[in-house]
Amino acid sequence: MNAVVTGASSGIGKALVLEFCREGARVIGLSRNEAALRELAERCRNFHFIVTDLSDLGSLSQIRGKLAGLGNLDVLVNNAGFGAYRRTLEMEADDVIRMTSVNFLAPILLTRELLPLMGEGSVVVNVITAGVHVLLVDLPLYGATKIALHYVSEAMRDELRERGIRLVSVYPGLVRTAFHLRAGKEVKGGITPEAVARSVIKALREGKERVYVPRYLGLLRLMGPHLPKV
Ligand SMILES: NC(=O)c1ccc[n+]([C@@H]2O[C@H](COP(=O)([O-])OP(=O)(O)OC[C@H]3O[C@@H](n4cnc5c(N)ncnc54)[C@H](OP(=O)(O)O)[C@@H]3O)[C@@H](O)[C@H]2O)c1
């Protein structure tokens, strides 16, 4: 099996890489932190990587070329993402653009770019957040990019199905990774990234399309996505 995982250098992406490796898959990881990717390559013989900044949307068109010789791509995991505990209008313009690019545009454009490598039976996994069902007051722009990803994933699911490709949306609750500190706040508690990775692998095996981790968060679906009051 061939898998591409974005945001492979830490947290959920790294846990997924290690889980895929254990399953005997060949994994290609994408992220900016070369040292972290090298370290993963030392732990997993079948891990290869491409150092790339996914906010540079123009460079996404080169990724397919870099995967030449891979053969069929069985799984693409759009996992890379980041947040900021900042009010939207207080953010630098560049950060607004970068967050929207990495969290929302890159998953669409990378899927589009790698589609020719995927065939009947391939799977696209989009890592969203269970936060799409509640108001992420402290992470407003992040919440908006994830609701947008949730929305477009529902639409892309049908498009991909026509090609025999399954789309799996993943909705984690609070996960103990570098995410929150990088976003500017110390947050305690949460599930492990390994638990999320195991749930994703299970969903791939069982043919599921939506995965909530922990599972009880699936009840949030009854609320629909959160939409700010107008
Ligand atoms: N932690 C949570 O509570 C939580 C909850 C729900 C959903 N999520 C989602 O889970 C996903 C993974 O987050 P995590 O919790 O594992 O956080 P993390 O440990 O901070 O990992 C984020 C990953 O995204 C990559 N990334 C960020 N910006 C990038 C860019 N410009 N170009 C390429 N790669 C970039 C990072 O790699 P480099 O820095 O090396 O580029 C890193 O590998 C995200 O989409 C996040 O929104 C997290």
Side-chain angles (χ1 to χ4, degrees):
M1 183 178 87
N2 293 319
V4 165
V5 178
T6 71
S9 61
S10 82
I12 296 169
K14 179 177 176 180
L16 258 172
V17 166
L18 293 171
E19 204 61 50
F20 276 132
C21 280
R22 254 191 295 278
E23 300 265 319
R26 176 157 51 156
V27 194
I28 295 91
L30 273 60
S31 81
R32 293 165 302 177
N33 186 337
E34 185 169 354
L37 294 170
R38 277 193 190 288
E39 199 203 312
L40 260 181
E42 276 164 25
R43 291 176 69 179
C44 172
R45 211 166 27 95
N46 250 340
F47 177 74
H48 309 272
F49 59 84
I50 300 170
V51 178
T52 188
D53 184 340
L54 291 169
S55 70
D56 180 5
L57 298 175
S59 69
L60 295 183
S61 59
Q62 294 157 22
I63 303 275
R64 197 191 331 155
K66 290 183 181 168
L67 294 175
L70 180 73
N72 192 60
L73 175 58
D74 302 291
V75 184
L76 165 63
V77 185
N78 289 306
N79 160 75
F82 70 100
Y85 285 93
R86 301 282 301 277
R87 298 175 75 189
T88 309
L89 298 179
E90 289 170 3
M91 289 177 65
E92 296 296 331
D94 277 356
D95 291 338
V96 171
I97 294 168
R98 271 187 340 109
M99 193 183 294
T100 310
S101 299
V102 175
N103 294 3
F104 173 55
L105 298 175
I108 301 170
L109 298 180
L110 191 60
T111 302
R112 193 173 168 277
E113 174 64 19
L114 299 188
L115 217 43
L117 302 181
M118 289 186 263
E120 186 108 7
S122 294
V123 185
V124 174
V125 178
N126 286 346
V127 178
I128 309 177
T129 171
V132 295
H133 299 291
V134 293
L135 184 59
L136 295 173
V137 215
D138 294 340
L139 292 158
L141 183 66
Y142 171 77
T145 61
K146 289 294 185 172
I147 285 189
L149 182 60
H150 164 74
Y151 194 106
V152 83
S153 297
E154 292 302 308
M156 284 194 330
R157 174 167 291 121
D158 293 337
E159 275 186 69
L160 289 169
R161 196 181 282 128
E162 286 165 17
R163 299 168 182 255
I165 301 170
R166 177 159 53 103
L167 187 140
V168 181
S169 298
V170 182
Y171 302 91
L174 181 63
V175 190
R176 282 203 298 276
T177 66
F179 176 91
H180 298 279
L181 212 51
R182 284 174 137 188
K185 192 170 174 180
E186 193 173 344
V187 177
K188 294 226 159 68
I191 53 172
T192 63
E194 288 75 21
V196 181
R198 283 193 298 271
S199 296
V200 172
I201 301 284
K202 191 162 174 276
L204 290 177
R205 224 179 262 132
E206 294 176 355
K208 286 196 179 141
E209 293 191 327
R210 293 176 191 81
V211 188
Y212 284 79
V213 207
R215 241 176 51 184
Y216 68 81
L217 288 179
L219 289 172
L220 290 170
R221 281 188 76 192
L222 300 172
M223 297 169 66
H226 179 84
L227 297 175
K229 285 195 191 72
V230 287

